[in-house]
Amino acid sequence: MVNDSLQWRVVPLTDVWCQELCTWDYSPFEMYNWPSWETMKRDGLEFADPIIRAEQYSGIVDERNHLCGFVQFFPIVGVTRLGLGLRPDLCGQRSGLGVRFVKLLIQEAKRRKPQQEIDLEVLEWNERAIQTYRRVGFIITDTYEKWTPTGVATFHCMVYDEAHEAT
């Protein structure tokens, strides 16, 4: 059972937490797993690159300083694109945890770039995520195919619109 009093914080993503992220297992959805930390470091991928990490990535920790998720605030001209991940054991709970997580990320994105649009991409088959994003005010504005490490996949672009937030 999830503790509803959890006080999550957005914090800089440390090397230790990056290594932890690389061990998270989203089976049977392996496309969400990160490569090993050694591979990430060797190839300078994503948060293994210290400059990209400092500019775009943050960790989400609970009151015990345990890593609960991560976020990438990917800069696009006029838009903050969220890339996010909740720790696998916290996914799929019916406690509203995902909604709380995404709301925190929206607040942080607004704090960082107050007047910028916020969007995200989600695989079209990921109904659970789409439902969560809709509950916090995201609407589908586009659908397209793009290349992924496992081949071409269809994505929805969802844009945050406060007027669409479920109450």
Side-chain angles (χ1 to χ4, degrees), residues 95-110:
S95 62
L97 200 58
V99 168
R100 290 178 44 221
F101 181 70
V102 177
K103 283 183 176 183
L104 173 68
L105 305 183
I106 291 167
Q107 288 173 346
E108 181 66 13
K110 286 180 177 180

Side-chain angles (χ1 to χ4, degrees), residues 69-130:
F70 71 90
V71 61
Q72 179 184 23
F73 298 101
F74 187 81
I76 301 173
V77 176
V79 176
T80 298
R81 173 155 294 160
L82 300 179
L84 57 112
L86 190 59
R87 198 174 66 219
D89 65 302
L90 300 176
C91 292
Q93 299 184 13
R94 300 203 184 275
S95 62
L97 200 58
V99 168
R100 290 178 44 221
F101 181 70
V102 177
K103 283 183 176 183
L104 173 68
L105 305 183
I106 291 167
Q107 288 173 346
E108 181 66 13
K110 286 180 177 180
R111 185 189 71 76
R112 291 175 181 225
K113 304 273 183 166
Q115 302 305 316
Q116 246 178 221
E117 179 176 271
I118 301 167
D119 78 3
L120 53 78
E121 293 178 313
V122 60
L123 286 158
E124 76 167 343
W125 56 259
N126 194 341
E127 285 299 323
R128 187 173 68 199
I130 292 166

